[in-house]
C-alpha cells in the first residue's frame, strides 16, 4: 500500500462512503430534531412569528459581523470573538470560493461558479488556521472553558483542523510530496464528513433551526430582542 | 563497430571536435549537472574533482570521446512504439544525435533490420558478449496474469525475456509510462495484469523515464549521464531522475501567473482560452505532475500541450489513466455516489430517525401511564 493507492482510496470509495454516511447521518439528526415536536403554545399571539424570524436572522447577519460590540460575547473577549469569525470566514471562502474546492462541488452538483484568486483564498486559509490555534489556546487557558471542554470538543477541533493544515501545506508544496499531502488531505476530509453528523459540527444546520425557533417564539410574544 | 571509442566513431562519422563540444554544451545543460554524482561513483580521476563544479562542455567532450560506445538492448513489450518514435523522430540535431552516436543499439524490435530467429540470435550473442556492460532499455508494460501469456516474443513471455535481459544489464532504463508504471495497459480493469519493470526487477536499480511518450531528451540525457559518469543520475522516490522530474509542470508553467490571479479558461473556445489563461478548470493535472515538458518542451523546444491550449493529462504519474476524467478538475472525487444512493442514504437516515423517535415516545408514554396508574 503506497500513497498512490491511499490517495485513490481516499478520493474514491472512501469519499463515496463518507459522503453517504454524512447524508444519512444528517437526515437522521434532522428527523430526530423535528420529531421532538413543539409543545402546544396556547399563549395569545402578540406579534408576528415570521417577523420574529426575519429580525432574528437579520440581526445575525448585521450585528454579528458589523456591530459586534453590542454583544457581550464580544466585549468580554474580542480576540476570541474575532478568531471565531475569522475561522468561519476563512473556512467558507476556502470551501466555496477556492478553485480546487469549487471543482469538487461542480463534479458533485453539476454546476460551477466564480472563484477568488489564489492569494486571497490562501491568506484567508492562513488566517483561519491561526484563528483555530488561538481558539485552541483559549480552551486550554480559560478556566471555565477548560471545564466545559471534553474529549468530544477536542476531537471536534482536531478533526476540523487536520483538513485545514493539510490543505494549506499541500497548496504550498511543503515537506512531503504533493500526492502524499493530497492523500492526507482527503483522508482528513473523509473523516470530517463522517464525524460531522455525530458531533456538534452539525451546528452548521442546527444553528439556523435555533435562530428560526427562537426568533419565531420571540416574535409571537413581541419581545424580539 | 561497437568496440571503437566514441571519439573514433565520431571522426568516422565526419563530426568535428568543434561540433562535438557544442553538442556537449547542450548535454551539460540538459543533464543539469548540479546533480553530478560523488567523485568515487563517477569513475573520474581525482585531480578532476575541482573541474566538476563547473563541468565544461570541453571536459565532457573529452571524457565522452575516450569511452567506448555503450551497447544498448531495447526490449518492447505491451507498447505502442511511441517512445521509440519520439526518440528517432526528434529532430534535435544536437543532444539526441549525440547520444545516438555514443551508443550502439544491439537489439530493437521496431528498428531492427533482421527479423525472426536471426534477430533473437543477435540479441543472445550481444547479451553474452557484453554481459554486465550493456544498458537495457524497456518500452511497454509486462503482463503477468495467466503466466504472462498476453505478450510473447519468439514463444517466450515478456516476464521471462525481461528477467533474462535484466540479469546481465549494467543499468536498466524504463522508458514511457507503460514500462515505468504499467501505463495504458494497466488502466482499469487491467485485463493482462500489466506491471512496470521496477515491480518485477527488484535486485537492480531501474530508472523510470515516464511520459506518454517519454521526453526523448530525458531518455538520452539519462543514458548520457551513465556514459559520462559511469553512474545513474540521482532519482526521486518513483525512480525518476531528479534532473528531469524534480519540478511539477505547474512550477514551470507559462500560464502560472493566471492561475495565481484566478483567471481560468472555462471552455476551449472562450475568451479566457484565447487569452492564454490557466487550464486548471479544464482539468489540468499540472500541479501533481512531475516532468520537464514546460522547460524542455517538444519538437525542438517549439511547444508543449499546455502552451498549445490543452491541459496536462499527468502522463508521467502512476495510474494517470484512472486519475479521474481528463477534463475534470484534478481535485474532483474519483467516485461519486449516484442520486439514488444519496436518496437512499437520506431515506435510511430519516427512517431510522423516525423509528428511534417513535420508540422513545412510546417509552415515555408508557412511563407516564405507569406513573399515572
Ligand atoms: C452556516 C454555518 C455555520 C454557522 C452559522 C456557525 C456558527 C458558529 C457559532 C455561532 C459558533 C460559536 C462561536 C464561535 O466560537 O465562533 C461556532 C463554533 C464553531 N464552529 Fe461553526 N458555524 C457554521 C459552520 C461550521 C462548519 C461547516 C464547521 C466545520 C467544518 C464549523 C466549525 C466550528 C468549530 C470547530 C467551532 C468551535 C470553535 C471553538 O473552538 O470555540 N462551523 N460556529
Ligand atoms: C472532497 C473534498 C476536498 C477536496 C477534493 C479538496 C482538495 C483540495 C486541493 C486539491 C487543494 C489544493 C489546491 C492547490 O494546490 O492550489 C486544497 C486546499 C485546501 N483545502 Fe481542500 N479539499 C476538500 C475539502 C476540504 C475541506 C472540507 C476543508 C476544510 C475543512 C479543506 C481545506 C483546505 C484548505 C485550508 C486548503 C488550502 C487553501 C489555500 O491555502 O489556498 N478542504 N484542497
Ligand atoms: S495550466 Fe495547468 S500547469 Fe499551468 S498554471 Fe494552470 S494548472 Fe498549473
Amino acid at each position: 500500500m503506497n500513497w498512490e493507492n491511499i490517495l485513490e482510496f481516499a478520493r474514491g470509495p472512501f469519499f463515496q462512503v463518507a459522503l453517504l454516511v454524512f447524508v444519512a447521518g444528517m437526515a437522521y439528526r434532522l428527523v430526530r430534531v423535528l420529531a421532538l415536536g413543539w409543545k402546544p403554545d396556547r399563549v395569545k399571539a402578540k406579534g408576528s412569528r415570521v417577523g420574529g424570524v426575519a429580525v432574528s436572522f437579520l440581526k445575525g447577519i448585521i450585528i454579528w459581523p458589523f456591530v459586534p460590540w453590542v454583544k457581550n460575547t464580544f466585549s468580554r473577549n474580542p480576540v476570541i470573538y474575532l478568531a471565531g469569525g475569522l475561522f468561519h470566514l476563512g473556512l467558507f471562502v476556502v470551501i466555496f470560493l477556492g478553485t480546487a474546492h469549487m471543482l469538487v462541488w461542480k463534479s458533485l452538483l453539476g454546476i460551477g461558479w466564480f472563484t477568488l484568486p489564489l492569494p486571497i483564498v490562501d491568506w484567508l486559509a492562513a488566517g483561519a488556521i491561526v484563528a483555530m490555534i488561538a481558539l485552541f489556546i483559549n480552551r486550554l487557558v480559560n478556566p471555565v472553558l477548560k471545564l466545559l471542554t471534553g474529549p468530544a470538543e477536542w476531537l471536534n477541533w482536531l478533526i476540523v483542523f487536520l483538513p485545514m493544515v493539510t490543505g494549506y501545506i499541500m497548496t504550498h508544496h511543503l515537506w512531503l510530496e504533493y500526492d502524499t499531502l493530497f492523500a492526507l488531505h482527503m483522508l482528513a476530509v473523509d473523516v470530517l464528513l463522517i464525524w460531522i453528523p455525530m458531533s456538534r459540527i452539525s451546528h452548521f444546520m442546527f444553528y439556523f433551526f435555533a435562530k428560526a425557533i427562537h426568533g419565531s417564539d420571540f416574535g409571537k410574544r413581541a419581545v424580539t430582542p | 563497430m561497437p568496440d571503437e571509442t566514441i571519439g573514433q566513431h565520431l571522426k568516422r562519422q565526419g563530426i568535428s571536435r568543434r561540433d562535438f563540444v557544442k553538442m556537449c554544451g547542450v548535454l551539460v545543460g540538459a543533464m543539469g549537472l548540479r546533480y553530478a554524482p560523488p567523485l568515487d561513483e563517477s569513475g573520474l580521476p581525482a585531480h578532476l574533482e575541482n573541474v566538476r563544479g563547473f563541468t565544461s562542455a570541453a571536459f565532457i567532450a573529452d571524457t565522452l570521446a575516450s569511452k567506448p560506445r555503450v551497447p544498448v538492448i531495447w526490449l518492447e513489450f505491451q507498447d505502442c512504439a511511441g517512445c521509440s518514435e519520439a526518440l528517432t523522430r526528434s529532430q534535435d540535431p544536437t543532444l539526441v544525435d549525440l547520444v545516438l552516436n555514443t551508443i550502439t543499439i544491439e537489439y530493437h524490435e521496431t528498428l531492427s533490420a533482421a527479423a525472426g530467429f536471426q534477430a533473437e540470435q543477435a540479441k543472445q550473442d550481444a547479451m553474452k558478449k557484453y554481459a554486465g556492460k550493456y544498458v537495457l532499455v524497456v518500452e511497454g508494460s509486462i503482463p503477468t496474469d495467466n503466466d504472462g501469456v498476453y505478450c510473447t516474443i519468439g514463444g517466450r513471455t515478456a516476464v521471462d525475456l525481461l528477467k533474462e535481459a535484466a540479469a546481465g544489464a549494467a543499468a536498466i532504463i524504463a522508458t514511457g509510462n507503460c514500462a515505468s508504471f504499467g501505463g495504458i495497459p494497466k488502466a482499469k480493469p487491467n485485463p493482462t495484469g500489466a506491471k512496470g519493470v521496477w515491480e518485477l526487477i527488484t535486485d537492480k536499480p531501474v530508472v523510470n523515464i515516464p511520459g506518454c511518450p517519454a521526453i526523448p531528451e530525458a531518455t538520452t540525457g539519462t543514458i548520457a549521464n551513465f556514459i559520462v559518469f559511469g553512474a545513474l543520475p540521482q532519482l526521486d522516490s518513483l525512480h525518476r531522475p531528479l534532473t528531469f522530474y524534480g519540478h511539477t509542470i505547474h512550477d514551470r508553467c507559462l500560464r502560472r501567473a493566471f492561475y495565481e490571479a484566478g483567471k481560468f479558461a472555462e471552455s476551449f473556445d472562450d475568451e479566457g482560452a484565447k487569452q492564454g489563461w490557466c487550464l486548471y478548470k479544464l482539468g489540468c493535472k499540472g500541479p501533481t505532475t512531475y516532468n520537464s515538458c514546460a522547460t524542455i518542451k517538444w519538437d525542438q523546444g517549439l511547444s508543449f500541450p499546455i502552451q498549445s491550449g490543452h491541459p496536462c493529462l499527468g502522463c508521467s504519474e502512476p495510474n494517470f489513466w484512472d486519475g479521474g476524467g481528463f477534463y475534470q478538475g484534478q481535485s474532483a472525487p474519483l467516485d461519486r455516489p449516484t442520486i439514488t444512493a444519496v436518496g437512499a442514504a437520506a431515506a435510511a437516515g430519516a427512517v431510522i430517525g423516525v423509528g428511534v423517535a417513535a420508540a422513545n415516545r412510546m417509552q415515555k408514554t408508557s412511563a407516564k401511564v405507569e406513573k399515572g396508574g
Side-chain angles (χ1 to χ4, degrees):
Chain A
M1 196 87 178
N2 54 20
W3 288 109
E4 274 317 313
N5 304 120
I6 297 176
L7 176 58
E8 233 167 84
F9 174 69
R11 283 177 75 190
F14 190 26
F15 174 77
Q16 194 168 345
V17 167
L19 197 62
L20 291 175
V21 169
F22 171 80
V23 170
M26 287 314 290
Y28 172 82
R29 293 288 307 272
L30 184 62
V31 167
R32 287 299 308 277
V33 168
L34 291 179
L36 287 176
W38 281 268
K39 282 219 184 88
D41 181 357
R42 300 200 179 82
V43 181
K44 223 177 133 203
K46 286 190 190 149
S48 146
R49 278 180 179 276
V50 180
V53 175
V55 169
S56 169
F57 276 106
L58 269 178
K59 287 181 79 164
I61 293 166
I62 294 165
I63 293 187
W64 193 83
F66 297 114
V67 277
W69 40 90
V70 302
K71 296 181 71 156
N72 65 8
T73 36
F74 177 82
S75 28
R76 244 184 259 147
N77 196 340
V79 175
I80 291 313
Y81 186 90
L82 289 176
L86 184 60
F87 159 67
H88 284 89
L89 175 71
L91 180 72
F92 287 121
V93 168
V94 165
I95 291 184
F96 291 108
L97 299 180
T99 313
H101 297 136
M102 185 280 277
L103 290 175
V104 176
W105 293 109
K106 190 175 172 185
S107 81
L108 293 176
L109 307 175
I111 46 163
W113 49 79
F114 94 105
T115 54
L116 287 174
L118 185 70
I120 298 179
V121 177
D122 195 40
W123 277 107
L124 284 170
I129 291 171
V130 171
M132 280 204 81
I133 294 171
L135 290 170
F136 180 77
I137 294 172
N138 184 45
R139 276 185 190 272
L140 274 184
V141 297
N142 184 312
V144 180
L145 254 186
K146 214 158 108 185
L147 287 177
L148 288 175
T149 305
E153 271 69 34
W154 293 121
L155 263 180
N156 272 347
W157 184 89
L158 184 70
I159 290 175
V160 176
F161 191 66
L162 286 179
M164 300 294 292
V165 272
T166 49
Y168 189 81
I169 295 173
M170 172 182 168
T171 303
H172 292 267
H173 293 238
L174 299 175
W175 305 309
L176 299 173
E177 261 174 55
Y178 194 92
D179 280 355
T180 313
L181 291 167
F182 197 177
L184 292 173
H185 188 55
M186 285 312 296
L187 288 176
V189 169
D190 294 343
V191 169
L192 175 65
L193 277 175
I194 293 173
W195 175 252
I196 287 176
M198 303 187 220
S199 69
R200 291 233 280 272
I201 311 280
S202 53
H203 70 264
F204 80 86
M205 184 161 87
F206 295 121
Y207 174 84
F208 297 101
F209 271 80
K211 275 250 167 234
I213 290 165
H214 289 142
S216 140
D217 282 353
F218 290 153
K220 185 179 170 194
R221 288 172 172 72
V223 290
T224 309
Chain B
M1 265 181 275
D3 295 329
E4 64 189 347
T5 65
I6 293 167
Q8 288 161 342
H9 174 77
L10 288 167
K11 208 181 233 165
R12 208 158 49 78
Q13 296 281 306
I15 296 172
S16 71
R17 184 181 142 82
R18 196 158 180 278
D19 283 344
F20 182 51
V21 172
K22 225 156 107 193
M23 289 174 178
C24 288
V26 179
L27 179 66
V28 169
M31 289 197 305
L33 284 176
R34 61 207 165 93
Y35 288 120
L39 190 72
D40 50 337
E41 275 174 34
S42 69
L44 298 173
H47 70 274
L48 289 177
E49 168 68 327
N50 54 349
V51 193
R52 285 163 22 91
F54 48 98
T55 327
S56 72
F59 163 69
I60 292 286
D62 291 343
T63 318
L64 262 184
S66 68
K67 303 225 164 168
R69 293 171 76 200
V70 171
V72 169
I73 291 178
W74 190 298
L75 296 181
E76 284 177 78
F77 299 124
Q78 297 190 124
D79 73 331
C80 67
C83 292
S84 290
E85 287 274 349
L87 187 68
T88 53
R89 289 182 185 224
S90 89
Q91 308 208 321
D92 195 317
T94 51
L95 182 60
V96 172
D97 239 24
L98 169 72
V99 172
L100 292 182
N101 270 310
T102 58
I103 62 177
T104 64
I105 296 189
E106 297 292 326
Y107 178 84
H108 188 300
E109 274 136 22
T110 306
L111 301 179
S112 175
F117 293 112
Q118 281 159 348
E120 294 307 310
Q121 190 56 47
K123 185 177 82 172
Q124 292 298 336
D125 293 346
M127 285 195 304
K128 227 174 261 149
K129 184 165 174 203
Y130 301 110
K133 293 198 190 106
Y134 60 86
V135 172
L136 173 65
V137 180
V138 182
E139 186 180 352
S141 68
I142 301 101
T144 56
D145 279 1
N146 294 328
D147 299 323
V149 293
Y150 300 108
C151 176
T152 62
I153 298 157
R156 295 174 62 192
T157 64
V159 180
D160 189 19
L161 293 167
L162 173 67
K163 294 210 159 137
E164 178 192 46
I172 303 172
I173 296 175
T175 180
N177 195 301
C178 299
S180 300
F181 307 131
I184 296 164
K186 194 189 170 188
K188 276 175 196 152
N190 191 4
T192 65
K195 286 194 167 148
V197 174
W198 71 329
E199 293 176 89
L200 297 163
I201 306 295
T202 46
D203 56 344
K204 269 190 191 183
V206 175
V207 182
N208 287 328
I209 316 282
C212 194
I215 296 182
E217 284 81 355
T219 309
T220 52
T222 303
I223 297 177
N225 193 305
F226 179 73
I227 298 172
V228 175
F229 295 110
L232 294 171
Q234 209 180 330
L235 307 177
D236 71 5
S237 63
L238 292 173
H239 288 206
R240 303 176 292 196
L242 278 173
T243 310
F244 302 104
Y245 298 88
H247 299 277
T248 61
I249 302 295
H250 187 66
D251 285 339
R252 299 291 154 94
C253 179
L254 75 174
R255 296 179 189 245
R256 178 65 183 265
F258 295 116
Y259 174 88
E260 300 289 337
K263 292 195 156 138
F264 301 98
E266 306 278 345
S267 75
F268 283 104
D269 52 3
D270 70 354
E271 199 45 39
K274 283 177 196 144
Q275 297 291 328
W277 290 355
C278 171
L279 303 169
Y280 190 76
K281 289 189 181 172
L282 293 173
C284 187
K285 308 293 185 293
T288 46
T289 304
Y290 289 83
N291 206 345
S292 35
C293 303
T295 40
I296 296 180
K297 302 194 184 173
W298 293 81
D299 299 326
Q300 291 177 274
L302 180 69
S303 184
F304 74 111
I306 290 175
Q307 188 172 346
S308 305
H310 195 282
C312 168
L313 304 182
C315 71
S316 59
E317 297 298 321
N319 307 329
F320 79 103
W321 207 261
D322 294 318
F326 283 161
Y327 302 105
Q328 215 173 40
Q330 59 121 28
S331 53
L334 296 181
D335 288 323
R336 285 179 297 277
T338 56
I339 289 285
T340 340
V342 172
V351 168
I352 298 173
V354 169
V356 173
N360 282 354
R361 202 166 282 186
M362 264 156 66
Q363 218 173 11
K364 256 191 214 157
T365 334
S366 61
K368 254 187 208 158
V369 171
E370 261 165 42
K371 244 196 231 158

